[in-house]
Amino acid sequence: MLTITKEFSFHAAHRLHLRDLSESDNLRIYGNCARLHGHTYRLQVQLAGRPDETGMILHFGELKGIVQREVLSRYDHADLSDLPEYHDLPATAENMAEHIFRTLDCALVSDRFRLEQVTVYETQTAWATRSRDGGEHA
Ligand SMILES: Nc1nc2c(c(=O)[nH]1)N=C([C@H](O)[C@H](O)COP(=O)(O)OP(=O)(O)OP(=O)(O)O)CN2
Ligand SMILES: [Zn+2]
């Protein structure tokens, strides 16, 4: 398998909470992360496919434009908890990787390549990965 990967970063705030729970239950489950705080997220997007006659699976610049349009334009400098996709789901790294994978999968349609994996780094030591063949528990 031949893959390309491009990395992006964005700044965003979030607080982990379940809407139906009390403040104290959310604090018990999520600890300090139930309070509003921010991260410099890193996002890695991987495509698998075959290069065209130019030698590229997809120009990194084109991939950047798609990720910018579909994800970063909404996520950068945002409070993620305000976005509709995280209204009923907490903006955990897991839920973000899942949602971003589904969003980009719809935007990256080609008979030569496909989206293979999305990784969201919340911190340098904590991240979630959604792989194409890893969605069966979603
Ligand atoms: N499975 C998950 N666990 C946690 C998530 C998550 O998205 N998925 N998120 C958080 C918080 O948002 C928090 O900001 C990050 O947590 P944590 O790694 O515990 O942060 P620290 O900086 O305290 O990590 P250390 O490396 O231990 O200093 C919590 N859990
Ligand atoms: Zn956090």
Side-chain angles (χ1 to χ4, degrees), residues 45-61:
V45 177
Q46 184 180 78
L47 307 183
R50 58 185 160 79
D52 63 11
E53 62 284 356
T54 69
M56 298 185 287
I57 290 175
L58 180 65
H59 194 303
F60 284 124

Side-chain angles (χ1 to χ4, degrees), residues 11-124:
H11 308 284
H14 73 163
R15 72 188 183 97
L16 299 184
H17 71 291
L18 293 170
R19 211 160 277 276
D20 292 340
L21 297 188
S22 66
E23 191 68 25
S24 59
D25 279 346
N26 276 310
L27 278 167
R28 183 176 47 76
I29 293 169
Y30 296 114
N32 281 341
C33 300
R35 300 196 174 97
L36 188 66
H37 62 282
H39 296 287
T40 298
Y41 286 91
R42 282 162 56 219
L43 168 65
Q44 290 177 351
V45 177
Q46 184 180 78
L47 307 183
R50 58 185 160 79
D52 63 11
E53 62 284 356
T54 69
M56 298 185 287
I57 290 175
L58 180 65
H59 194 303
F60 284 124
E62 203 173 325
L63 178 57
K64 181 179 177 180
I66 293 168
V67 173
Q68 174 65 36
R69 185 186 72 222
E70 299 292 330
V71 181
L72 304 180
S73 63
R74 298 178 59 243
Y75 281 46
D76 192 29
H77 286 79
D79 179 347
L80 300 174
S81 316
D82 285 344
L83 298 179
E85 56 264 44
Y86 306 118
H87 187 266
D88 297 322
L89 290 173
T92 59
E94 293 92 324
N95 285 336
M96 291 172 69
E98 180 66 33
H99 185 82
I100 292 170
F101 187 98
R102 290 181 187 203
T103 300
L104 291 178
D105 201 29
C106 294
L108 289 159
V109 177
S110 167
D111 53 9
R112 232 178 3 84
F113 62 79
R114 65 180 194 177
L115 179 64
E116 194 62 29
Q117 189 165 283
V118 164
T119 298
V120 174
Y121 287 82
E122 202 166 72
T123 68
Q124 287 196 333

